[in-house]
Each structure stands twice: as structure tokens, then as C-alpha cells.
Amino acid sequence: MRLPEVIDLFSGCGGLALGFQKSGFKITHGIEIVPEAVNTVSYNIDWRFGKKTSHIVGDITKIDHSIFANKIGKEGCIVIGGPPCQAYSKAGKGKLRSLGEHRINTNDSRGYLYEDFLRFAINLNARAIVMENVPESINYGGKNIPQLVCEILEKEGYESIWTILNAADYGVPQIRERVFMIAVKKDENLKYSLPIATHRSKANTKTINELRFKNMIQYNNFRIPNKKISGWRRWVTVGEAIGDLPRLFRDSKSKYNLYKLNVELDYYSEPQNKYQKIMRKWYGNDLNGVTGNAFRNTKRDFRIFEEMKEGDNYYNASLIADRIFYEAIKFEGINKESNALRYNQLYKEIVPPYNRENFIGKWKKLKMDEPSHTLVAHLSQDTYSHIHPFEPRGISVREAARLQSFPDDFFFQCSMGEAFRQIGNAVPPLLAKGVADSIKIMFKKGRD
């Protein structure tokens, strides 16, 4: 069976494309505005196989869909992509508000880039369409973007649905809920079913968005995720995800080494579980070592990280910092009155300057026996949101990639900050593969 080729829009570093490729689809074309991200996706889905770059660097709003129209094979195409989420997400809206009242999120042009996504998909007569975004896109200035997209596509001859999938349900060691809009041409006469979840939480508890499903069923095109299966595995935990990776910084007195992203280090151990084996053998290679071991030199905070317990946040960290500070001034025998200069110097060297009321959730030490919380693009600025569970540091690029289900020989040939940004913005490849597999099954059944 020959599958439709895939056109990858707003590709980022290629998480969605990688999942489709792993499922057996051929990625033939793509567009991404960030050159460093195009370099990453090109290396990992094309160059490593000796192929020419499928993706181009460009602003989709200035590109005509006809750029691909005459290059699509007889099997047609599937258009996939995740238009930027900053206009919808809580973090993005907060940043805009900080820039002034006129910078409200509904004035952000990025909130309307789904229109360009649809322009390409409709004009290329895509046989199927997959669009991903954040759950906050359900309310964008009163508009439900996924529902609106479905309604637009139905007028264009598509059967369309939208849902919210949790990456942890598909084997990703991270609780990451994302909206997926999936559409199929009506004249294909194909029946689509959402991917079946393969994992579940230890206590079978519901996430925030799952609790909201009862309010979402009012929308005609919303579908509840498919979890009707026995024999689930438990969610993959942080410990299971990163436990075999190199040890980089054993205690706060260790020497800091800034490893270049292409430097390979030996694994700490042989693979201990199925997830680690998947990450090591995605491309069929038996790996002896792994790259991407860079982490941030947050010298002031290594001692604080060391004393934090799993699950601790910034409030807990600030109390630790206070204690370390008071021990320091006691050791030197000073106080604010007797030596204000040294007192203030030590305070600055030891105690983080962040607001203790507004910053609580900005620091979080990962728990070994639970999945990670959601990785975000802000990792490019710092990694306080994801502190390593047993080493006194933020997570490394490779550990972030593992938590996002990027395989170990997926390479980031860019700066550390850019690699963190690309990972935080990406669709987890294992989640993408789950969606891709469900579409592949649909086309296969249609041919049988």
C-alpha cells in the first residue's frame, strides 16, 4: 500500500514529522520560519538518509501554496502542522500583557496563522489534515479555534473532528495535553478512529482537561479520546526515561563542564526498560553513547538544587537559600548592621532574587516515579522549571529530548538554548506516531 506523502507546515524541529516518518509516511515537503529548526529537521529526517532537504525556510504568510502543487505524487498528500501557540498559551498571553495593554493576545497575528495552514491544506486538496495546538486555543478571545477550523473544513468537503490527547497516554514520559484537529476528505469514504491510548496513570486519575470534557461535548466536532482498551501499561516515569543517561554533575562541588552538543558520552548503564530501548534504537542503530549532554551553569543555585526534594518548588528553594545564607553570615560573624557591604554581597551570591509569591511554580524538581510536567520553549531561557531529580542541576538537552520522546540519535546541531527551545516547542514524536498510525490504519482499511 502506498500512502499519501506528507507536507509538514510550521514544522519546528520535526517532532510531528518524525512520528509520521516512523509510522511509514514519506515527508516530501515542509515550511518553517526558523533556520536553525529547519537545519535540525533536515538533518534528522533527510540528510542522515542521504536525501535532499525537504523543508524550506520561509514565512508561510508570504508563500503561495502552488510552491508544492506540481510536486505531489499521484497518491496525493496529507498536510500536518502545529501553527504557533504563543497567542493562545498562558505564558504567551502573559508576556504580551507585560508589553502593554495594546499587546493583548487577540491582536497577535500569530493567533491567525491557522488560516494560512488551511489555505495550503485546502488548495493542495489534502486527503487528510492534522493540526496540533495548545488546549488554550479553545478560547481565543471567545473563539474556539479547533471547532472553527473543523467548521471551515466541513464546508470544503471534509469530515472533521478535534480532541485533546495527553502525550503520557501514548508512552511519552510527560503529561502534555494538546489539541489535535483531524480531517479526511468526504469523497475518500474512509472511516477515521482516534488512536488508542497505550498507557494510563498509576491511580487512573483525570487531568485538568479530562475533567472539562463534559463541557466540551457541546461542540459538534469534539470527540473524547479513545481509551477503551485493557492491558494498559503505566505512564512512563522520569526515572524510567532518563535513568540510563550519563551522569554529569554528581554534587554541587563537582566541576562544571559545558559539553558541546555533538560530544558523545557513554551511557550510565545498559537499557533497563522498553522506553530506553525505543530511544536507543529508533533508527535501528545500536548506540554506545549519546550526545546533547549540555546543561546550564547556574552556579548560585547548585547547592539549593542539591538540598531540594523531589517535587519541591521555588517556595521550598527559597527557604533552603535563606538557611544557606544565614549559615554563611553566621560563619563569617557578620550581620547587616556591622558589615552591610559583605552582608548584601553574600545575599546576592546565595539567594535567588525572584518574587516568592509570583514565582512559586517557576522552579520544580522532577519526581523519579512520575512523568514530567509539560516542557515549554522557555527552557531556552533557563531550566529551573525542570530540575534534575537526583543531580543538583537543571536537565540537559538530551534529558529534555528523552522527556519529549526524541530518540537518542536525533541530533541538535545548534546552540544549547536553541535546542531547548526546539524541544519545548515540539510535538512529542511518540504521540505523533500514535496519531500517524491511526491515519495509516484508516487508509489501509480503505484499500482492503
Side-chain angles (χ1 to χ4, degrees):
M1 178 193 67
R2 291 190 63 183
L3 294 167
E5 61 192 78
V6 172
I7 296 177
D8 182 28
L9 306 179
F10 304 101
S11 68
C13 69
L16 191 55
L18 187 63
F20 270 78
Q21 185 184 64
K22 185 66 171 176
S23 184
F25 289 89
K26 184 179 180 181
I27 315 300
T28 58
H29 306 289
I31 300 174
E32 165 59 40
I33 198 170
V34 179
E36 294 86 352
V38 171
N39 187 57
T40 300
V41 68
S42 296
Y43 179 85
N44 289 286
I45 72 167
D46 292 321
W47 297 340
R48 72 186 307 140
F49 300 111
K51 299 178 182 178
K52 293 182 179 180
T53 300
S54 56
H55 287 64
I56 62 173
V57 179
D59 181 347
I60 195 172
T61 66
K62 300 176 182 178
I63 300 175
D64 192 275
H65 72 275
S66 61
I67 190 173
F68 302 138
N70 298 323
K71 301 176 182 178
I72 298 172
K74 63 180 182 179
E75 294 296 330
C77 70
I78 298 172
V79 174
I80 66 173
C85 65
Q86 290 90 342
Y88 311 133
S89 69
K90 292 179 181 178
K93 287 188 284 189
K95 184 174 181 180
L96 285 170
R97 282 195 301 271
S98 70
L99 298 175
E101 291 296 323
H102 65 292
R103 296 294 298 275
I104 59 173
N105 66 312
T106 50
N107 288 340
D108 188 342
S109 60
R110 292 173 297 183
Y112 302 93
L113 286 173
Y114 70 88
E115 296 174 351
D116 289 282
F117 177 87
L118 292 178
R119 172 171 60 85
F120 266 77
I122 292 168
N123 284 295
L124 291 173
N125 197 32
R127 297 177 63 187
I129 301 167
V130 177
M131 191 181 88
E132 176 267 353
N133 218 293
V134 293
E136 290 89 347
S137 63
I138 295 170
N139 185 4
Y140 180 55
K143 293 181 181 178
N144 183 327
I145 300 300
Q147 180 64 29
L148 177 60
V149 166
C150 285
E151 292 170 0
I152 292 171
L153 286 172
E154 290 199 334
K155 292 177 182 178
E156 297 291 339
Y158 288 85
E159 295 281 356
S160 303
I161 63 170
W162 66 274
T163 190
I164 296 180
L165 303 180
N166 182 359
D169 291 338
Y170 301 89
V172 180
Q174 178 190 170
I175 298 172
R176 185 185 190 92
E177 294 184 286
R178 289 295 182 264
V179 167
F180 280 83
M181 189 289 305
I182 301 165
V184 182
K185 289 283 285 188
K186 291 178 181 177
D187 58 17
E188 295 274 356
N189 293 317
L190 298 174
K191 185 176 181 181
Y192 176 73
S193 296
L194 285 167
I196 298 173
T198 57
H199 294 67
R200 67 177 175 184
S201 67
K202 184 165 52 179
N204 207 21
T205 54
K206 293 186 182 296
T207 64
I208 292 175
N209 282 295
E210 285 176 330
L211 293 172
R212 295 171 178 166
F213 283 170
K214 61 179 180 292
N215 297 321
M216 295 177 188
I217 58 175
Q218 65 178 296
Y219 298 105
N220 293 334
N221 297 84
F222 175 73
R223 300 291 183 273
I224 294 175
N226 190 351
K227 295 191 177 185
K228 298 177 181 177
I229 185 174
S230 61
W232 275 313
R233 294 183 292 273
R234 299 300 185 192
W235 281 347
V236 181
T237 66
V238 169
E240 291 169 334
I242 69 171
D244 64 324
L245 291 178
R247 300 298 188 255
L248 305 176
F249 198 68
R250 294 183 179 277
D251 58 56
S252 61
K253 297 178 181 178
S254 297
K255 179 183 177 181
Y256 173 79
N257 292 303
L258 177 57
Y259 297 103
K260 292 183 178 180
L261 293 186
N262 62 355
V263 171
E264 183 176 291
L265 299 179
D266 291 339
Y267 287 104
Y268 177 73
S269 71
E270 293 296 317
Q272 302 297 313
N273 55 60
K274 182 176 181 179
Y275 184 78
Q276 293 173 10
K277 292 176 182 178
I278 292 172
M279 292 296 97
R280 293 199 194 192
K281 295 189 176 183
W282 185 281
Y283 292 103
N285 304 317
D286 284 319
L287 303 179
N288 296 315
V290 65
T291 62
N293 298 293
F295 66 96
R296 296 190 184 282
N297 186 13
T298 50
K299 184 177 181 180
R300 179 196 62 207
D301 304 316
F302 288 148
R303 170 107 183 258
I304 299 172
F305 294 163
E306 189 168 49
E307 298 196 30
M308 290 175 69
K309 297 177 182 178
E310 293 180 23
D312 276 359
N313 59 23
Y314 182 64
Y315 175 75
N316 308 114
S318 67
L319 296 180
I320 293 169
D322 285 346
R323 181 175 54 75
I324 294 172
F325 168 69
Y326 287 122
E327 288 174 356
I329 61 172
K330 183 178 180 181
F331 177 79
E332 294 196 14
I334 63 171
N335 56 46
K336 195 170 186 178
E337 289 71 31
S338 65
N339 193 335
L341 185 63
R342 179 57 178 160
Y343 180 96
N344 291 331
Q345 181 185 13
L346 282 173
Y347 191 87
K348 185 176 181 180
E349 290 176 356
I350 296 171
V351 181
Y354 313 115
N355 185 291
R356 299 191 182 190
E357 293 182 2
N358 301 330
F359 213 78
I360 289 178
K362 303 294 185 181
W363 287 32
K364 185 70 176 291
K365 192 164 190 176
L366 294 167
K367 293 183 177 181
M368 285 284 284
D369 61 353
E370 293 183 8
S372 170
H373 51 289
T374 301
L375 275 73
V376 295
H378 188 77
L379 287 169
S380 64
Q381 304 300 316
D382 62 63
T383 46
Y384 291 121
S385 62
H386 290 75
I387 300 168
H388 196 278
F390 58 83
E391 290 193 0
R393 58 176 175 81
I395 56 173
S396 70
V397 167
R398 181 54 56 193
E399 289 157 351
R402 274 278 185 100
L403 296 177
Q404 195 77 302
S405 76
F406 279 101
D408 288 359
D409 44 356
F410 189 96
F411 296 110
F412 298 92
Q413 297 183 330
C414 55
S415 69
M416 176 170 57
E418 180 60 29
F420 277 127
R421 178 182 290 107
Q422 291 177 16
I423 293 167
N425 274 330
V427 177
L430 277 182
L431 173 57
K433 182 181 181 298
V435 174
D437 285 346
S438 67
I439 293 175
K440 181 180 178 180
I441 290 170
M442 175 189 69
F443 278 108
K444 186 177 185 300
K445 286 183 176 180
R447 290 294 183 89
D448 291 345

